[in-house]
Amino acid sequence: MPQRPKSHDILFEPLRLGPVTAKNRFYQVPHCSGMGWQRPNTLAAMRGVKAEGGWGVVCTEYCSYDPSSDDGPYPYARLWDADDLRAQALVTESIHRHGALAGVELWHGGSAVANYDSRLPPLGVASLPAPAPHPVQSRRLDLADIRELRRWHAAAARRALEAGFDLVYVYATHGYLLSQFLDPRLNDRTDAYGGSLGNRVRLVRELIEETLEAVAGRAAVATRFTVDPAEPESYEAFSLLAELPDLWDLTIRDYEVEMGVSRFVREGALEAAVAPAKAMTGKPVVAVGRFTAPDTMARMIRTGVQDLIGAARPSIADPFLPRKIEAGEADAIRECIGCNVCYAHDTLGVPLRCTQNPTMGEEWRRAWHPERTVPTARPARVLVVGAGPAGLEAARVLGERGYDVLLAEAGRTLGGRVTAESALPGLAEWARVRDWRLGRLERLPAVSVFPESRMTAESVLEVEAEHVFLATGSRWTVDGVGRSRDLPLEPGPGARVVSADALLAGEAPPPGHAVIFDDDHYYIGSVLALLLRRHGTAVTLVTPAGRVGEWGQRTAEATASTAALLHAGVEIVANRTLEAVAAGAVTVACVFTGARQELAADWLLPLTRRAPTDGLYRELDALREAGGAPGIRSLQRLGDCAAPGTIAAAVYAGYAAAVGLDAAPAERPWRRDVI
């Protein structure tokens, strides 16, 4: 049996939080889910799995306490009335079932929301515009409004008790209403809530005191607050409130650091900001840092930086992280890779998902569990061709379910695109997708792995597998066809067009100036540009969008990514489509006017689309249709072989196919969340 190192014992010491006690130091901080008030059963099941996985405290996402704080179309949490109370009770019951505390983050968006659903004017410290591009401006709160706001907050705190919450938040950060009062750049009031720091802190103080009164010792009061070395006044503000709440949940101003992708932000990035504040209060402190290493977690508590290990993304990637550390199985942790695919999908208003954990968001509607699968009632031989993210995940789950699995990979190394992309600048942690699955496969005697085994239709038939999964990936095309171009390029004499696959395979780039045409709009264009700059290649990055890597705005990396390109000397040309390529030049055109422009280029790297590598599938499918493969009961394409997408989509496809093998057909693929 594995033994937990003694140094990790500190993570399992209980901690008093005002009138309640957390059973350990693992704290799932409030984080968005894309479920909220729209999908109550989905949300309750997801939070419940976190509690089952050993998190001592599990919190909601931002929870509106009045219709004047509406973030539609995003499905935030709500505690407006008795109907919302019943929905939140589903969440607390699910959390309490596994012995964890349930926390609710009461929230008012102020000028940071547009109130599209309620159609009420947003309420702000001043009359301020909503974030771009919303053509909305808030109404300035007067003193009567502030008294009403305080009444709403206290009433919601009492509803939170009825719903079964053990912690109630006063939320004073992330640019929402209370942080707007604290901000001297926004707060231009001349009444008792503006001017001096004491006045600007007043509303936060009043809400903490009134929430303590409302919960009357039946729940803890937590306060989420910004402290930042770049803003000395933030510590002065903190000192004025330091002993008031039962718990401090501390963060920093820069969200792209707090929620930073692993390309730019390492584990424990908030330590320098949190430690000085912790020294100023006798109350417990929690903070995040994308913690996945137990040694780092234990050090943060042992050295007094913080008292609880806050986590959002690590609790998504592995809801059972605490239990694995407790059992001395830290090597079994499904570590967060910091890609922010979870956050991206919440910003789209749909349930969050995870590259590492394909069951995230599917706990209720598909009855998927991150640590358990249903054993097969019909053991059979299964051949998986391709050991990329989809193939590795399918082989892992099939092996756990009791199938005899043969995993064949054409190359010497496993991991497919994960191995190739994790070698690119900033993406090293993405290798965790491969490494965790290889570690699981080593524990499964039913799975046999065969590298350097390129399969043909004939060799597939020779294996005599009843089920064949083809996860043979995809390849980058060079014809220029993609989102902004319908017809293939016709390169002129002497023009050189290079496939991204050559660079991903580790080949040296051709000499001369490169033009990258990025019609992919995610990370690959940026990281390949940085790779080329490391080789000393002059790079011009062209995109049809208004900014490079536009989808990176969803993953909170767009600003840092663009800054990295500029610092590296990459020339960025936005709002241009690809028109032609000739020897020594690439022609682009303005997306608005059609005006053409020639760019000097010795070679072109088009990032437009990927073509599925599905020749083997089509050959086997034709054989089956002709009756030439009677032993194959099922044939499936997985991941990029079926439809090129994200690594998260490939892992999900591998998991879904493996848990669905031999399952009874369902009327619909998942349950609809209606109550």
Side-chain angles (χ1 to χ4, degrees):
M1 288 288 292
Q3 293 293 315
R4 181 176 77 230
K6 286 287 185 183
S7 60
H8 297 170
D9 288 351
I10 195 170
L11 298 171
F12 298 92
E13 294 177 357
L15 183 66
R16 191 78 178 166
L17 307 174
V20 299
T21 299
K23 66 180 179 181
N24 59 33
R25 303 305 178 94
F26 294 96
Y27 190 107
Q28 184 246 274
V29 297
H31 73 73
C32 298
S33 67
M35 304 167 193
W37 64 268
Q38 291 182 358
R39 302 174 178 94
N41 290 294
T42 304
L43 179 61
M46 183 271 285
R47 302 290 187 203
V49 166
K50 303 275 197 77
E52 182 188 354
W55 296 88
V57 181
V58 178
C59 298
T60 66
E61 56 265 66
Y62 61 149
C63 183
S64 171
Y65 52 86
D66 183 78
S68 61
S69 181
D70 152 40
D71 206 18
Y74 308 118
Y76 51 92
R78 282 195 326 214
L79 255 179
W80 293 354
D81 52 30
D83 290 336
D84 293 327
L85 191 155
R86 285 191 291 273
Q88 292 297 339
L90 293 176
V91 176
T92 60
E93 290 164 8
S94 185
I95 293 169
H96 289 157
R97 193 173 299 126
H98 301 285
L101 300 177
V104 59
E105 183 179 57
L106 298 183
W107 161 80
H108 200 290
S111 303
V113 296
N115 284 359
Y116 281 138
D117 193 12
S118 69
R119 300 186 70 174
L120 295 172
L123 301 174
V125 64
S127 183
L128 296 166
H134 305 294
V136 174
Q137 192 159 320
S138 62
R139 175 173 68 79
R140 183 187 185 91
L141 286 156
D142 58 28
L143 293 177
D145 293 325
I146 292 174
R147 288 193 294 271
E148 190 73 350
L149 180 86
R150 290 163 56 188
R151 186 184 68 79
W152 295 337
H153 197 283
R158 290 188 287 272
R159 284 195 295 276
L161 287 179
E162 289 186 65
F165 286 104
D166 308 289
L167 294 94
V168 180
Y169 266 77
V170 175
Y171 187 11
T173 186
H174 293 147
Y176 296 123
L177 181 61
L178 297 187
S179 62
Q180 292 164 15
F181 272 85
L182 294 168
D183 192 336
R185 296 164 298 185
L186 302 178
N187 186 342
D188 62 356
R189 303 177 73 95
T190 57
D191 58 20
Y193 292 93
S196 69
L197 179 60
N199 280 359
R200 286 184 277 116
V201 167
R202 183 186 302 273
L203 182 56
V204 178
R205 174 187 291 277
E206 289 173 341
L207 291 183
I208 295 172
E209 292 171 341
E210 290 162 4
T211 304
L212 285 164
E213 182 180 352
V215 300
R218 295 166 57 195
V221 174
T223 300
R224 209 170 197 183
F225 201 83
T226 296
V227 288
D228 200 308
E231 300 177 16
E233 190 188 70
S234 66
Y235 293 97
E236 294 179 46
F238 179 80
S239 70
L240 297 177
L241 305 168
E243 300 303 324
L244 270 182
D246 298 309
L247 171 70
W248 285 103
D249 182 343
L250 298 180
T251 185
I252 60 174
R253 179 76 63 189
D254 191 340
Y255 200 63
E256 287 203 4
V257 174
E258 178 192 348
M259 267 289 295
V261 293
S262 58
R263 285 179 64 189
F264 304 111
V265 180
R266 303 276 79 84
E267 182 179 29
L270 275 62
E271 180 176 355
V274 171
K278 170 58 185 168
M280 297 167 66
T281 180
K283 297 301 180 72
V285 168
V286 62
V288 298
R290 200 167 56 81
F291 297 111
T292 60
D295 288 344
T296 302
M297 300 178 201
R299 179 183 64 79
M300 298 296 278
I301 295 174
R302 188 170 55 252
T303 59
V305 175
Q306 57 198 72
D307 302 285
L308 295 131
I309 300 302
R313 292 170 293 172
S315 74
I316 293 167
D318 197 335
F320 276 67
L321 180 150
R323 289 208 183 279
K324 291 175 181 178
I325 297 174
E326 185 176 30
E329 296 183 342
D331 62 337
I333 295 171
R334 191 188 288 109
E335 292 182 286
C336 172
I337 69 169
C339 66
N340 282 7
V341 159
C342 52
Y343 178 67
H345 286 83
D346 169 73
T347 69
L348 293 167
V350 296
L352 57 79
R353 56 213 59 188
C354 177
T355 299
Q356 280 281 58
N357 176 14
T359 69
M360 176 50 55
E362 305 292 349
E363 298 88 350
W364 181 82
R365 70 176 191 168
R366 285 183 181 263
W368 287 358
H369 191 279
E371 299 297 314
R372 295 192 295 270
T373 54
V374 178
T376 180
R378 295 188 59 182
R381 172 171 288 188
V382 183
L383 172 64
V384 179
V385 181
L392 288 174
E393 180 69 358
R396 176 188 75 84
V397 177
L398 290 165
E400 289 181 356
R401 293 192 61 208
Y403 289 98
D404 174 22
V405 183
L406 308 178
L407 175 59
E409 165 57 41
R412 178 176 296 182
T413 58
L414 307 182
R417 64 178 287 196
V418 170
T419 295
E421 293 183 21
S422 63
L424 297 174
L427 299 186
E429 290 190 42
W430 291 28
R432 293 173 173 181
V433 174
R434 173 199 64 207
D435 295 344
W436 182 80
R437 284 160 181 80
L438 291 179
R440 299 300 92 195
L441 292 179
E442 289 175 359
R443 301 186 179 193
L444 293 171
V447 180
S448 301
V449 181
F450 299 94
E452 297 184 279
S453 299
R454 186 173 296 278
M455 303 300 289
T456 64
E458 291 75 19
S459 57
V460 168
L461 295 178
E462 289 171 3
V463 168
E464 297 183 345
E466 292 185 43
H467 306 282
V468 178
F469 289 168
L470 297 176
T472 46
S474 62
R475 66 188 187 281
W476 284 98
T477 62
V478 294
D479 60 7
V481 174
R483 290 175 173 84
S484 63
R485 184 181 177 88
D486 299 326
L487 299 175
L489 281 171
E490 295 184 4
R496 187 165 191 181
V497 181
V498 176
S499 168
D501 291 324
L503 299 180
L504 290 167
E507 296 180 18
H513 191 129
V515 166
I516 298 175
F517 179 64
D518 184 6
D519 206 12
D520 180 71
H521 305 285
Y522 193 12
Y523 61 88
I524 195 70
S526 298
V527 295
L528 286 177
L530 294 173
L531 176 71
L532 291 175
R533 290 300 294 136
R534 287 185 180 180
H535 284 276
T537 302
V539 179
T540 300
L541 199 160
V542 179
T543 176
R547 63 191 301 175
V548 66
E550 192 170 47
W551 209 70
Q553 294 181 76
R554 300 283 181 190
T555 54
E557 65 187 294
T559 300
S561 182
T562 302
L565 292 170
L566 295 174
H567 288 313
V570 175
E571 181 184 1
I572 297 172
V573 178
N575 296 314
R576 298 295 188 274
T577 57
L578 178 64
E579 297 297 311
V581 55
V586 167
T587 302
V588 298
C590 176
V591 298
F592 304 112
T593 67
R596 292 195 165 207
Q597 173 186 2
E598 268 200 0
L599 303 174
D602 295 297
W603 54 283
L604 170 70
L605 177 67
L607 298 170
T608 54
R609 66 185 172 109
R610 287 177 285 146
T613 308
D614 60 359
L616 180 57
Y617 169 81
R618 286 186 280 107
E619 190 175 353
L620 288 169
D621 189 49
L623 277 173
R624 292 185 74 218
E625 288 292 329
I632 298 178
R633 287 175 47 210
S634 69
L635 175 69
Q636 294 187 56
R637 291 168 288 181
L638 303 182
D640 289 352
C641 177
T646 62
I647 295 172
V651 172
Y652 181 88
Y655 186 92
V659 297
L661 187 60
D662 280 334
E667 182 180 349
R668 57 172 64 97
W670 53 73
R671 290 192 288 177
R672 291 177 57 202
D673 197 343
V674 292
I675 57 172

